[in-house]
């Protein structure tokens, strides 16, 4: 028997329970993993709370790293003993061991350890698709990235700096401002002390920015639209403050024929080829040293409820992992 975090009803962090589970032999096209490190991501709280409903009872988590310990029928491109990682459904990463579809895991190269991988797969591949595919940022541009001191934000600030892009980042405290600055954020706005719309307009000479990356959601939606230049793109990729309310599309016309997209990592990595390409670009930029993965919080997996509470109260910075 092994253990996993499960929940039987939607709710707050307290619904997460440490339970015994049984992991059988992997099925067709699957591998069984002995996991060593597991990533904490904001989407995990959406599944737990019912914001994104899942069939109950359920496991939780989408990201982990570990070692292949058994192969199911039909698996030919992995071997027992391979170090691998993933950031993909099915939900259930908060577990000591589990089976996963083999086409959803990627081999880890030398120079990327298990803890790094568990801390960066979901957040790092999110940054990859946001800045390389959803809106392909170019050297010399200035962009707005909300929550610049979060896990996604810190990776984005470093990667964008490497690409020659100027980042205006929003944060909620002086400590987070220092953290964002240390990771390449060009201009930092403490939204508790400044009007971020007015400051963005000031920093851009009144022009606004061509793209806003917004994982905050409800609280920043209207202001983000006002930061865009004509024909700019609003990339709404999360809702840490709550989901964006229904939108009157006429507002987009009034504010400059704006574009809006609500992308997800799962869509951008749905094909095996896209998944591998995204992971490899991430591995390359981390191994080059241009992007450093900051693991600022570590919890035993059995303390997942506390980790969720800390994440939702915005006590965390950078990446958080669970150890097994």
């Amino acid at each position: 028997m092994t253990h996993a975090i499960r929940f039987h009803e939607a709710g707050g962090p307290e619904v997460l329970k440490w339970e015994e589970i049984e992991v059988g032999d992997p099925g067709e096209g699957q591998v069984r993993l002995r996991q060593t490190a597991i990533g904490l991501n904001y989407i995990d709280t959406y599944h737990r709370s019912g914001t994104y409903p899942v069939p109950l009872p359920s496991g939780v988590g989408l990201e982990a790293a570990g070692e292949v310990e058994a192969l199911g029928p039909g698996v030919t491109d992995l071997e027992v003993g391979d170090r691998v990682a993933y950031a993909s459904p099915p939900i259930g990463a908060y577990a000591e061991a589990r089976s996963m579809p083999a086409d959803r895991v990627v081999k880890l190269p030398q120079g990327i350890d298990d803890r790094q991988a568990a801390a960066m797969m979901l957040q790092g591949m999110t940054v990859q698709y946001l800045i390389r595919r959803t809106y392909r940022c170019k050297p010399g541009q200035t962009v707005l990235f909300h929550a610049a001191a979060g896990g996604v934000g810190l990776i984005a600030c470093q990667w964008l700096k490497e690409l020659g892009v100027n980042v205006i980042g929003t944060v909620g405290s002086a400590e987070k401002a220092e953290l964002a600055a240390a990771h390449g954020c060009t201009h930092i706005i403490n939204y508790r002390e400044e009007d971020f719309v007015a400051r963005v307009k000031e920093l851009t000479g009144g022009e606004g920015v061509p793209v806003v990356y917004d994982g905050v959601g409800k609280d920043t939606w209207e202001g983000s639209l006002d930061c865009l230049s004509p024909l700019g793109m609003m990339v709404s990729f999360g809702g840490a403050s709550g989901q964006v309310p229904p939108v009157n599309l006429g507002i987009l016309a009034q504010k400059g024929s704006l574009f809006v997209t609500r992308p997800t990592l799962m869509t951008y990595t749905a094909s095996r080829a896209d998944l591998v390409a995204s992971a490899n670009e991430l591995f390359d930029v981390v191994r080059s040293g241009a992007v450093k993965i900051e693991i600022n919080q570590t919890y035993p997996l059995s303390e997942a409820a506390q980790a969720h509470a800390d994440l939702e109260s915005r006590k965390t910075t950078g990446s958080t992992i669970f150890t097994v």
Side-chain angles (χ1 to χ4, degrees), residues 2-9 12-21 48 57-60 94-95 301-306 308:
T2 188
H3 290 85
I5 294 289
R6 294 178 60 78
F7 63 105
H8 295 258
E9 60 181 344
E14 70 281 355
V15 303
L16 298 176
K17 306 298 181 186
W18 181 240
E19 297 181 353
E20 279 194 349
I21 62 167
R48 186 213 71 224
S58 176
V60 64
Y94 290 19
L301 182 56
S302 58
E303 296 181 10
Q306 183 61 55
H308 275 226

Side-chain angles (χ1 to χ4, degrees), residues 165-280:
V165 178
N166 300 309
V167 182
I168 303 173
T170 65
V171 297
S173 69
E175 293 77 15
K176 290 186 175 182
E178 291 180 6
L179 190 61
H183 289 77
C185 193
T186 316
H187 304 285
I188 298 151
I189 302 170
N190 185 335
Y191 62 80
R192 298 187 191 278
E193 298 176 354
E194 296 182 273
D195 179 335
F196 75 83
V197 177
R199 183 66 175 138
V200 167
K201 290 296 180 69
E202 179 184 347
L203 288 168
T204 60
E207 293 184 4
V209 294
V211 61
V212 176
Y213 296 106
D214 191 342
V216 176
K218 178 171 64 70
D219 288 355
T220 49
W221 170 258
E222 291 188 12
S224 292
L225 295 181
D226 288 335
C227 290
L228 286 165
S229 56
L231 306 181
M233 178 176 284
M234 173 66 175
V235 182
S236 177
F237 67 95
S241 67
Q243 299 304 303
V244 173
V247 178
N248 174 1
L249 293 182
I251 295 295
L252 305 179
Q254 295 172 22
K255 293 182 181 294
S257 299
L258 304 178
F259 295 86
V260 174
T261 183
R262 180 59 174 88
T264 70
L265 175 63
M266 305 317 158
T267 304
Y268 276 84
T269 57
S271 76
R272 175 69 179 170
D274 283 341
L275 171 64
V276 172
S278 180
N280 285 342

